[in-house]
Amino acid sequence: MYNSTERVKNISYAIRDVVIFAQQLEKEGKEIIYLNIGDPCLWDFDTPDHIKNAIAEAVTNGRFNRYVDSKGLPELRERIIERERKINNINLTTDDVVITSGVTEGLQMLFAAIINPGDEVLVSKPTYPPFIALCKFFDGVPVYYDKTYDNGWIPDIDYLEKAISEKTTAIVIVNPNNPTGAVYDEKTLKQIVDICAENDIIIICDEIYDQYIFDGKHVGISSIAKDTSVIVLNGFSKAYLVPGWRLGYLYTYDPEEKLSQLREDVEKQARLRLCANAPAQKAAVVALRGPQDHLKKINKHLRERRDIVYNRFEEMTEIHANKPRGSFYIFPKVVNLHSRWKDDEEFVKDLLRETGVLVVHGSGFGMARGSGLFRLVYLAPSEILEDSMDRLENFMKSGP
Ligand code: PLP
């Protein structure tokens, strides 16, 4: 007789859960515009040819169809060190870097190592949902630090300080942010680093969107951490358009020399799952070494698409939004949610049923159900975004 464990019962992932409802409607013949998932390859962005050719070559010559080093190919770790030196002006060694099956696996390994039952992990609100689910999976307690709509979704430092307790073990920062599109300023990041250093809290920063910035510049946490140790997660899914390859990395920047045991505990887990995708690692060497022109092109398109959706929201009285500065998400707010809908999920389902446009309810990212927030992914081509915004606008006007 099978009974679900409590651990598994807790798992939910709103971004993919809403798809089940959309697929039902699709079966009934409704056309759906999927603005719910952050996968650039679903639209008109494609993996650069030299990266595709590199994985084909790695597979056909056969030398990379084997298991490789659990920590990752040394030559890939070397390229990552170079990248981090160039971008964040830090000096790492290959021992500081572990190649993972995506940022997601890196996070799992870190949480498995860091969290004892009942330990608290600070996660922002709103947050990328797996941070909450994985924290609970390892018997940890996610504790929110607020980012507020009113100051552009930048973390509120007073709130963050108040959220710290004796059980706080780690903090997760996502910069540039999913789901808000916020890019944190240097001052805020420094304040967070200082508070965490004072309270001996492990800092984990997910920088998977660091190449997608439309206004200003991205400040990598390791570039400003100075004598504070930090852990950074990054990956190839978004910047190199290979989300299906499942390839990422984590590195420890450890001037305080306090993360050596954690490094060992992560490596132990890396050995347990043998290795990350070997041909993809070989191709990732080419991705990091080769031309980066695709990033310029994508950023140009994303800025245009960001402007389309943001400007349309600016014209609406029923929905407001902060202007995203990075990533490819916008997190708008329905002003008078309760005049028409019970909660944000009902709004999302109603919108889907009436217009075919699929977005994700804000409560899937940790917000209150009544807050009226939702996430829209603006990766689709301009004409599809314009059409979706027309549908959304008409839908909002059609109410009682
Ligand atoms: N981290 C953030 C903030 C994300 O938004 C995503 C995917 O949308 C991931 C991690 C997943 O990364 P990966 O594909 O490397 O597992």
Side-chain angles (χ1 to χ4, degrees):
M1 177 66 181
Y2 170 74
N3 289 311
S4 310
T5 58
E6 288 307 311
R7 191 187 301 121
V8 167
K9 272 189 213 160
N10 275 333
I11 297 174
S12 69
Y13 189 25
I15 298 166
R16 285 180 180 252
D17 293 348
V18 285
V19 174
I20 298 167
F21 185 58
Q23 283 170 340
Q24 273 167 10
L25 292 175
E26 219 166 23
K27 266 192 211 147
E28 291 161 21
K30 185 142 190 104
E31 175 222 6
I32 309 291
I33 306 177
Y34 286 93
L35 303 185
N36 63 312
I37 285 204
D39 182 348
C41 300
L42 293 176
W43 299 102
D44 54 342
F45 300 108
D46 192 13
T47 320
D49 282 344
H50 66 284
I51 302 177
K52 285 186 199 166
N53 294 340
I55 198 166
E57 162 67 13
V59 171
T60 22
N61 79 20
R63 281 183 297 121
F64 293 93
N65 295 325
R66 59 189 167 91
Y67 294 129
V68 295
D69 191 327
S70 295
K71 284 181 71 177
L73 287 181
E75 60 173 327
L76 177 56
R77 286 185 279 143
E78 286 287 354
R79 291 287 89 74
I80 288 165
I81 291 171
E82 269 173 25
R83 178 196 189 269
E84 293 302 321
R85 190 182 302 128
K86 205 162 120 203
I87 292 183
N88 288 317
N89 198 24
I90 52 160
N91 288 317
L92 303 171
T93 71
T94 43
D95 285 342
D96 300 319
V97 183
V98 178
I99 309 298
T100 57
S101 304
V103 164
T104 310
E105 189 192 43
L107 189 76
Q108 274 173 33
M109 289 177 173
L110 288 172
F111 276 3
I114 288 168
I115 300 174
N116 275 308
D119 281 350
E120 293 176 1
V121 178
L122 296 173
V123 286
S124 64
K125 192 169 92 178
T127 193
Y128 176 57
F131 296 142
I132 306 176
L134 282 171
C135 177
K136 290 181 180 165
F137 189 85
F138 290 108
D139 296 324
V141 181
V143 174
Y144 292 116
Y145 59 92
D146 250 12
K147 299 181 290 191
T148 57
Y149 179 86
D150 295 336
N151 73 344
W153 295 121
I154 299 297
D156 181 320
I157 298 297
D158 290 339
Y159 202 103
L160 177 84
E161 274 192 298
K162 284 186 200 127
I164 295 171
S165 83
E166 280 181 355
K167 291 188 175 162
T168 310
T169 316
I171 183 169
V172 183
I173 303 161
V174 182
N175 181 40
N177 195 259
N178 175 8
T180 64
V183 177
Y184 301 170
D185 57 281
E186 187 168 337
K187 184 172 160 233
T188 303
L189 284 171
K190 274 193 173 137
Q191 283 174 316
I192 297 176
V193 168
D194 289 346
I195 291 167
C196 293
E198 259 167 48
N199 291 280
D200 199 23
I201 295 168
I202 296 170
I203 302 167
I204 301 170
C205 194
D206 176 342
E207 298 184 348
I208 196 166
Y209 298 102
D210 67 352
Q211 296 303 306
Y212 296 138
I213 303 280
F214 320 124
D215 305 314
K217 71 179 190 47
H218 176 254
V219 179
I221 195 109
S222 56
S223 75
I224 53 117
K226 295 214 159 66
D227 48 7
T228 302
S229 298
V230 296
I231 306 167
V232 176
L233 292 161
N234 210 326
F236 296 85
S237 296
K238 316 287 175 176
Y240 294 97
L241 304 150
V242 289
W245 288 10
R246 312 305 306 124
L247 197 67
Y249 60 92
L250 67 84
Y251 71 81
T252 47
Y253 166 76
D254 192 17
E256 295 176 273
E257 296 184 8
K258 66 174 194 182
L259 298 175
S260 49
Q261 184 61 50
L262 174 59
R263 259 193 307 270
E264 262 179 49
D265 293 345
V266 166
E267 284 169 29
K268 240 193 265 178
Q269 297 177 67
R271 291 195 291 273
L272 182 65
R273 59 55 154 144
L274 311 187
C275 66
N277 183 328
Q281 290 190 57
K282 183 64 185 167
V285 172
V286 175
L288 287 177
R289 212 172 34 203
Q292 309 290 310
D293 319 352
H294 68 285
L295 289 171
K296 231 188 205 165
K297 228 163 61 196
I298 299 171
N299 269 291
K300 180 176 169 290
H301 286 308
L302 287 180
R303 187 181 288 113
E304 283 162 10
R305 294 170 194 192
R306 185 268 318 255
D307 288 345
I308 287 172
V309 291
Y310 175 69
N311 292 338
R312 292 292 299 267
F313 282 128
E314 278 284 274
E315 286 160 15
M316 292 184 200
T317 48
E318 306 88 349
I319 300 182
H320 291 166
N322 277 318
K323 192 172 191 172
R325 294 179 50 223
S327 72
F328 29 69
Y329 307 103
I330 188 164
F331 201 56
K333 185 178 174 65
V334 179
V335 181
N336 282 319
L337 180 80
H338 294 304
S339 64
R340 269 173 80 182
W341 300 279
K342 180 167 77 50
D343 56 30
D344 58 352
E345 205 169 335
E346 195 180 85
F347 162 77
V348 164
K349 286 185 173 168
D350 197 18
L351 175 71
L352 179 66
R353 238 183 334 255
E354 296 300 316
T355 67
V357 175
L358 179 62
V359 295
V360 186
H361 44 289
S363 50
F365 301 88
M367 303 307 292
R369 296 178 76 80
S371 58
L373 290 148
F374 64 96
R375 188 189 78 169
L376 183 150
V377 181
Y378 53 82
L379 282 165
S382 307
E383 57 280 10
I384 294 180
L385 291 175
E386 291 281 14
D387 175 33
S388 305
M389 296 305 288
D390 287 344
R391 294 179 192 213
L392 180 55
E393 195 173 346
N394 290 335
F395 170 72
M396 295 308 289
K397 284 190 181 137
S398 68

